[in-house]
Amino acid sequence: MNKRTIAALATMFSFSAGLAQKPNIVLILADDMGFSDIGCYGSEIPTPNIDKLAQHGVRFSQFYNTARCCPTRASLLTGLYQHEVGVGHMTSEGPFDFDYGVDGYKGQLNRNGVTIAEVLKTAGYSTYMTGKWHLGHDMDDRPLQRGFDKYYGCLRGAFNYFKPEDLFMYGNDVLEEPDPSTFYATDAFTDSAVHWITQNQNDQPFFLYMAYNAPHWPLHARNEDVDKFVGKYMVGWDELRRQRFERQVEIGLFDESLGVSPRDSNVRPWEQVPEDQKTRSDYRMAVYAAQVFSIDENVGKIIAALEEKGEIENTLIIFLSDNGACAEPYNEFGGGAFEDVNNPEKSGVISIGRGWANLCNTPFRRYKNSAYEGGIATPFVAHWPKGISSELEGHFIDDVAHITDIMPTLVNMADADYPKQYKGNFIFDLAGTSFAPVFSGMERKPSEFLFFEHENNCAVRSGEWKIISRFGDFEWELYNVVEDRNELHDVASKHPEIVEKLAKAWRTWAQDNQVVPKGDSKGKGYSTPHNKQN
């Protein structure tokens, strides 16, 4: 048993020993939502239900994901780094083949990890999932084959919100295309979640993984929601970034001295954008805001179901995003634009573009897929009346935490056993450590290093220090992210010994966790576009 496992198990025992009743767990994942896109992290978008969870729970100010959809999902569900479970890049889907012929990049979730659902089932939990899977299409890779009792959603990474065609599933059965005049994915996913909460036996704890595809492109929202926001973004991204940061200072998330990172150099000042394009840009962001608004509205439905069933007090609700806001300038996907079937005259609205993504990640720079804070920092809200000390209500937790910490935390709380073998496969040791003690105001010793690699974007976070580089170049930048969270002042030349220590740790991690070798694509893949777009 290595040091990583010993530390994790010791923390688990110290916390779980004090639990009188296993809590229900509701894990809510938003898709491509930026760091500042909910009210309790500074947004102008009204999110009263999530804000209420934060008001009576806790928020983490330094919580990290893996910078993209499917790697984060792989890491979230297994408690391992994504390369360890074969999703170092993307999962293969339709015409896109992301099997690079090496263990870390197989394009599907392997069997060297167990999912949260597989572990919690052994501890007596009912396990439910609804929403976006994005971890493989083959029968052996689907939710019911990875520990979930029930599943309703879509296996794809991106799909139409009004008519999610192929791979829209109930369990293992492909469903017929729904009626786009009445169907909206965010609502439909929540309806299944609420039904399962209502039907669950009171004497059996449950785990619900609620994986929204919103606000991932294509930009689709109900007309009545879009109408709430049209015109509100004509003030532009520069002014709104300033306003969001002011709110972040007011709520105690950041000190005023941090400031806002400079506008992306590929984005024009809002005052230089032509009036007709301002109108189109305003509409794009209005649809995106409507998608976030709808998530919050549906979170409210889940809260109401828990309250009606008398389960809200002993249910841990976690809300987070899978990566930073998306700046990828999609105008079409899969051979043609996604039609907004609920509003045909405004079809083809696919993505928000770089200017608005810059706003969504306030105050950070960069975006989804990057190892800078704009790519890997996520809002993280936890609400659990019976398990979170009342003295912590409404507070920010400054502990540095990572997506791999969620599995050991939930195993800890459920008093479950994390296996060394499962169904004939050896299981890798957990990468993270439980943050459950933080809920009681106890000390927690986090991992010494947090590691990142996606599409050759590499980083290490250790205490106050963070290094960043491109794979192959390894010209490491160094930032003190306690003093310089916006990563504007590279101090690598002043502290070469720190750079070397962290770089050595990254190389060891990469060798031990299947980050290398990277292999070669055996089929059609795609690269992330980085064209200028406002």
Side-chain angles (χ1 to χ4, degrees):
M1 186 178 295
N2 63 25
K3 293 180 180 178
R4 191 165 89 174
T5 304
I6 293 171
L9 293 177
T11 304
M12 289 180 191
F13 179 78
S14 66
F15 184 80
S16 62
L19 290 177
Q21 180 183 358
K22 293 181 179 181
N24 304 309
I25 299 163
V26 176
L27 180 57
I28 305 173
L29 185 68
D31 195 354
D32 279 13
M33 192 190 79
F35 180 81
S36 66
D37 276 334
I38 52 178
C40 54
Y41 278 77
S43 182
E44 72 290 337
I45 304 170
T47 54
N49 295 295
I50 299 171
D51 295 352
K52 185 177 179 181
L53 295 178
Q55 179 185 356
H56 298 290
V58 294
R59 286 161 284 179
F60 279 68
S61 62
Q62 301 184 86
F63 205 100
Y64 290 105
N65 51 46
T66 75
R68 190 174 287 278
C69 311
C70 40
T72 285
R73 283 164 170 72
S75 192
L76 169 68
L77 284 179
T78 65
L80 301 171
Y81 282 105
Q82 65 270 27
H83 309 80
E84 294 183 274
V85 287
V87 191
H89 188 199
M90 299 280 286
T91 49
S92 297
E93 177 177 299
F96 302 114
D97 186 349
F98 290 98
D99 183 353
Y100 293 106
V102 291
D103 289 342
Y105 304 86
K106 298 298 288 184
Q108 61 185 7
L109 196 66
N110 68 28
R111 295 284 174 166
N112 293 125
V114 285
T115 69
I116 295 171
E118 287 171 327
V119 175
L120 294 191
K121 281 187 75 169
T122 67
Y125 277 71
S126 299
T127 55
Y128 310 123
M129 181 188 170
T130 180
K132 172 177 167 176
W133 175 240
H134 206 197
L135 288 173
H137 293 174
D138 294 344
M139 186 61 74
D140 287 346
D141 301 324
R142 295 178 179 181
L144 295 195
Q145 283 64 47
R146 296 312 301 255
F148 288 97
D149 296 324
K150 296 182 182 294
Y151 173 67
Y152 173 77
C154 191
L155 302 182
R156 294 179 62 90
F159 48 92
N160 192 305
Y161 287 67
F162 297 107
K163 51 175 186 178
E165 297 161 343
D166 58 329
L167 298 174
F168 190 62
M169 316 285 296
Y170 184 82
N172 287 320
D173 298 323
V174 178
L175 298 175
E176 294 183 3
E177 182 179 309
D179 181 354
S181 67
T182 58
F183 181 89
Y184 185 62
T186 306
D187 295 334
F189 296 153
T190 305
D191 290 345
S192 283
V194 167
H195 175 73
W196 293 333
I197 289 171
T198 302
Q199 296 298 311
N200 193 76
Q201 298 297 315
N202 286 339
D203 61 349
Q204 185 171 21
F206 67 85
F207 167 58
L208 167 66
Y209 175 36
M210 176 69 259
Y212 289 115
N213 61 312
H216 191 287
W217 53 265
L219 303 183
H220 285 168
R222 293 189 180 280
N223 286 342
E224 56 268 31
D225 289 339
V226 177
D227 290 343
K228 294 179 175 70
F229 297 98
V230 170
K232 294 185 182 297
Y233 290 91
M234 290 297 288
V235 66
W237 40 67
D238 295 316
E239 173 61 17
L240 287 168
R241 289 185 82 216
R242 185 191 66 79
Q243 291 179 13
R244 284 198 182 188
F245 182 68
E246 282 188 353
R247 282 189 289 270
Q248 290 174 331
V249 172
E250 289 173 5
I251 62 180
L253 176 55
F254 296 119
D255 187 82
E256 186 176 10
S257 62
L258 175 65
V260 182
S261 63
R263 181 196 322 106
D264 189 301
S265 61
N266 289 310
V267 176
R268 288 173 288 184
W270 181 255
E271 62 187 26
Q272 294 180 13
V273 178
E275 288 301 316
D276 61 336
Q277 187 172 345
K278 284 182 178 178
T279 300
R280 293 195 300 272
S281 289
D282 168 77
Y283 182 76
R284 284 174 178 262
M285 190 61 195
V287 180
Y288 178 92
Q291 291 174 296
V292 175
F293 175 83
S294 180
I295 289 175
D296 181 79
E297 192 172 53
N298 280 278
V299 169
K301 296 175 187 176
I302 293 173
I303 294 171
L306 291 167
E307 290 175 337
E308 184 174 344
K309 198 169 173 62
E311 296 283 359
I312 191 70
E313 292 293 313
N314 197 37
T315 298
L316 170 66
I317 303 175
I318 291 174
F319 180 89
L320 74 161
S321 181
D322 62 353
N323 46 250
C326 179
E328 297 163 7
Y330 292 100
N331 289 312
E332 63 179 18
F333 186 76
F338 279 100
E339 179 188 4
D340 182 349
V341 296
N342 202 37
N343 202 357
E345 70 275 14
K346 294 176 179 176
S347 64
V349 178
I350 307 303
S351 59
I352 55 175
R354 192 178 291 257
W356 292 128
N358 208 183
L359 165 68
C360 295
N361 288 333
T362 302
F364 307 134
R365 62 188 181 112
R366 303 292 176 89
Y367 318 96
K368 172 183 178 177
N369 113 313
S370 170
Y372 290 92
E373 296 292 284
I376 59 176
T378 177
F380 186 97
V381 177
H383 177 274
W384 181 21
K386 277 192 175 180
I388 297 177
S389 169
S390 60
E391 295 180 0
L392 296 176
E393 284 189 11
H395 287 226
F396 282 101
I397 302 296
D398 292 328
D399 280 51
V400 180
H402 186 265
I403 202 89
T404 56
D405 295 335
I406 292 177
M407 166 73 98
T409 301
L410 301 189
V411 171
N412 185 171
M413 290 168 26
D415 196 20
D417 294 320
Y418 182 80
K420 289 186 170 297
Q421 297 182 50
Y422 187 78
K423 293 185 176 179
N425 298 288
F426 289 108
I427 303 302
F428 292 142
D429 293 327
L430 287 167
T433 60
S434 173
F435 53 78
V438 172
F439 293 158
S440 300
M442 299 167 59
E443 289 291 326
R444 167 187 180 253
K445 185 177 181 180
S447 302
E448 182 180 3
F449 301 101
L450 298 180
F451 299 101
F452 304 88
E453 190 282 331
H454 179 65
E455 292 189 343
N456 295 326
N457 298 303
C458 311
V460 182
R461 171 79 195 261
S462 181
E464 63 185 331
W465 297 107
K466 180 181 174 186
I467 58 170
I468 303 174
S469 181
R470 288 284 294 171
F471 185 91
D473 298 337
F474 293 121
E475 296 178 0
W476 295 101
E477 302 167 13
L478 175 66
Y479 299 97
N480 184 319
V481 284
V482 171
E483 299 176 355
D484 179 25
R485 188 82 188 274
N486 285 335
E487 300 164 311
L488 301 179
H489 307 288
D490 178 8
V491 294
S493 62
K494 297 180 180 179
H495 302 285
E497 74 287 354
I498 296 175
V499 173
E500 179 52 33
K501 175 185 176 182
L502 271 59
K504 181 179 179 181
W506 190 92
R507 292 191 297 268
T508 300
W509 168 77
Q511 190 65 49
D512 292 346
N513 290 271
Q514 303 180 167
V515 180
V516 291
K518 282 184 164 289
D520 297 303
S521 176
K522 297 193 299 185
K524 182 180 178 182
Y526 65 87
S527 59
T528 301
H530 292 290
N531 302 324
K532 177 178 178 179
Q533 179 177 342
N534 292 342

